[in-house]
Amino acid sequence: MKEYFFTNDAERNLLAIIKYYDDLLKNLEEKANESDRAYGGYIRAFKGELVEYMAEELVKVAWRDILHQSLSRITMNKQKMPVSISDKYEFLSKI
């Protein structure tokens, strides 16, 4: 199995993602309280957008900086993929 080592670029880009996360969280409480939306709804929407952003950026870091592939060779979209759940878990929808 091939081992992958972080390059300086990968480390720098990962630190940038962490800084972005930290900066956003600093103002989250204040913005949630000022929003016209319900507090919980604002937090959930924020979390969803943050997870999407961070996941995409982590894939880019791995693709570009660790695997050394061109970003032109990868595409990411928000296409929803249905995930079927086994019938034995159907009772969960009734809770």
Side-chain angles (χ1 to χ4, degrees):
M1 182 171 171
K2 183 176 180 180
E3 286 190 43
Y4 295 99
F5 297 97
F6 286 117
T7 63
N8 288 337
D9 289 338
E11 187 172 346
R12 183 174 54 250
N13 289 326
L14 290 172
L15 290 173
I17 293 169
I18 293 168
K19 182 177 181 340
Y20 177 78
Y21 171 82
D22 289 340
D23 290 345
L24 287 178
L25 286 186
K26 286 179 188 176
N27 298 319
L28 175 62
E29 185 84 21
E30 182 180 327
K31 287 182 179 180
N33 286 324
E34 292 174 356
S35 174
D36 292 337
R37 297 176 68 173
Y39 179 83
Y42 186 88
I43 299 295
R44 275 191 299 281
F46 172 84
K47 178 185 171 193
E49 290 175 19
L50 180 63
V51 168
E52 284 182 16
Y53 168 79
M54 290 180 70
E56 185 172 325
E57 291 303 308
L58 289 171
V59 168
K60 287 179 184 177
V61 168
W63 187 260
R64 177 187 56 230
D65 302 331
I66 298 171
L67 298 174
H68 306 290
Q69 299 295 313
S70 170
L71 287 177
S72 65
R73 296 187 61 226
I74 189 171
T75 58
M76 291 177 257
N77 60 42
K78 295 181 182 182
Q79 180 181 0
K80 294 183 180 183
M81 305 285 291
V83 177
S84 60
I85 298 177
S86 174
D87 290 340
K88 67 182 180 180
Y89 298 114
E90 186 177 327
F91 72 93
L92 291 174
S93 65
K94 298 175 184 169
I95 296 177

